[in-house]
Amino acid sequence: MENWVLIANPAAGGGRARKAAERAARFLDRCGQPLDVYYTRASGHAGELARQAVAAGTKRLIVCGGDGTIVELLPALAHQPTTLALLPAGTSNDFARGLGIPRRLGSALDILQHGQICKLDLGRIGDRWFCTVAAFGFDAEINHAVNSGRIPFSGTSGYLYATFKHLAAYRPPQVCLSGEFGEYRGEIFLVATGNTRSYGGGMRIVPRADPQDGNLDVCIVDKLSTRSILKLLPRVFWGGHLNHPAVRCLRTSWLRIETDAPRLIYADGEHLGETPALLRSAPAALSMILPKNTP
């Protein structure tokens, strides 16, 4: 049988990833599936382990963790024959959510054994990769606050806490956005560019995003009053914000963002760069095992 490699972030999900990795290893051993298990020791270690696995000709690389662990693997896996399998065990798990991979370990292991191999798109900013949503504007500022340790919570609760804390002080930037849709100029509250549909632990900012169509879905929210933002925010969890007159959702294979001053860009919860920036879709860049009912 092919030898598989499992990479787990033992700190992900408050230690849940380590327990899930141990259970997965025992399960696959009982099934007679050879498996090498590696635990990450620091930021960037997952990427190093993935590069070694790909260089060794590993056919299937299993990651046990969250979106932050996955994004570390992407440079090693993009446009490579190694197939990624996912056991969601992080805080947000938006990539798994967008692909229909359940958090329940038994169900995820069943997909690992009996799922189908598909080619998925990735997003790219310069030489950096992302798999879910790239955020610019208010969302990027919130991500920065959470990552810098200024927010005492993580996941959706941390996002909501930071939103209420920073909303009054936020100053919308003046932007010029260009893509296959044409050009947009104005003051914006946020711009979210999605390969998959959600971020922040299930906030469906671009609910129609499809990681197999070669495009990115771009949600633009114009400058709004604090009161309007607070009324709009709950609707993001089911995609109801798209009906608001200040919200538009566009589709393009590339997006150029230019601003009046350099602004942060975050993707998959990580800092990926600053404006000006060019975001692109990389079609069929990732080989991945998905549930059999995935279109």
Side-chain angles (χ1 to χ4, degrees):
M1 298 180 70
E2 298 172 348
N3 194 66
W4 295 358
V5 167
L6 187 153
I7 297 174
N9 176 1
R16 186 169 58 248
R18 176 182 283 277
K19 295 178 181 178
E22 292 170 350
R23 286 183 55 195
R26 291 194 297 268
F27 173 80
L28 292 173
D29 181 65
R30 291 195 299 269
C31 295
Q33 172 60 57
L35 180 72
D36 293 326
V37 179
Y38 300 96
Y39 293 101
T40 61
R41 296 190 298 268
S43 176
H45 191 207
E48 179 185 339
L49 293 172
R51 286 190 293 272
Q52 293 171 0
V54 171
T58 300
K59 297 299 181 182
R60 188 162 298 183
L61 178 64
I62 308 164
V63 60
C64 189
D67 296 330
T69 306
I70 296 168
V71 76
E72 284 192 32
L73 308 177
L74 297 183
L77 295 176
H79 300 297
Q80 296 295 328
T82 301
T83 296
L84 176 65
L86 180 56
L87 302 178
T91 303
S92 298
N93 302 302
D94 282 296
F95 191 47
R97 182 180 287 105
L99 302 175
I101 299 174
R103 290 188 64 181
R104 185 175 177 273
L105 183 60
S107 300
L109 286 171
D110 184 68
I111 295 169
L112 178 64
Q113 286 193 301
H114 306 296
Q116 60 178 339
I117 295 176
C118 298
K119 291 288 188 179
L120 298 181
D121 306 337
L122 291 174
R124 195 163 189 178
I125 304 175
D127 61 352
R128 306 286 298 275
W129 300 88
F130 66 94
C131 57
T132 60
V133 178
F136 158 71
F138 185 75
D139 286 12
E141 301 294 334
I142 294 304
N143 267 285
H144 185 64
V146 172
N147 280 15
S148 61
R150 288 182 281 152
I151 304 301
F153 311 107
S154 58
T156 305
S157 58
Y159 180 90
L160 294 175
Y161 178 88
T163 295
F164 295 127
K165 184 177 176 66
H166 293 276
L167 193 55
Y170 178 67
R171 296 294 178 264
Q174 187 79 27
V175 304
C176 175
L177 306 174
S178 54
E180 291 167 332
F181 53 81
E183 189 176 274
Y184 170 90
R185 292 178 180 269
E187 287 184 296
I188 58 94
F189 179 70
L190 66 85
V191 176
T193 306
N195 181 52
T196 55
R197 67 191 181 193
S198 70
Y199 62 2
M203 303 179 75
R204 298 189 178 191
I205 189 68
V206 280
R208 302 181 188 125
D210 177 0
Q212 292 180 304
D213 67 358
N215 287 305
L216 299 167
D217 278 33
V218 182
C219 178
I220 304 170
V221 180
D222 294 336
K223 178 182 177 181
L224 287 170
S225 67
T226 299
R227 181 178 180 182
S228 295
I229 290 296
L230 291 175
K231 291 174 64 176
L232 185 64
L233 183 62
R235 295 161 63 175
V236 179
F237 284 95
W238 67 88
H241 62 294
L242 297 187
N243 298 321
H244 194 282
V247 178
R248 68 200 74 198
C249 197
L250 308 170
R251 188 164 288 156
T252 179
S253 64
W254 59 273
L255 176 71
R256 185 179 299 278
I257 304 176
E258 299 173 283
T259 55
D260 49 0
R263 299 279 182 150
L264 297 170
I265 298 177
Y266 268 71
D268 305 324
E270 303 294 327
H271 178 218
L272 253 65
E274 296 181 343
T275 60
L278 176 63
L279 287 67
R280 293 177 289 149
S281 174
L286 180 67
S287 177
M288 190 159 183
I289 188 82
L290 298 181
K292 278 194 172 180
N293 60 353
T294 301

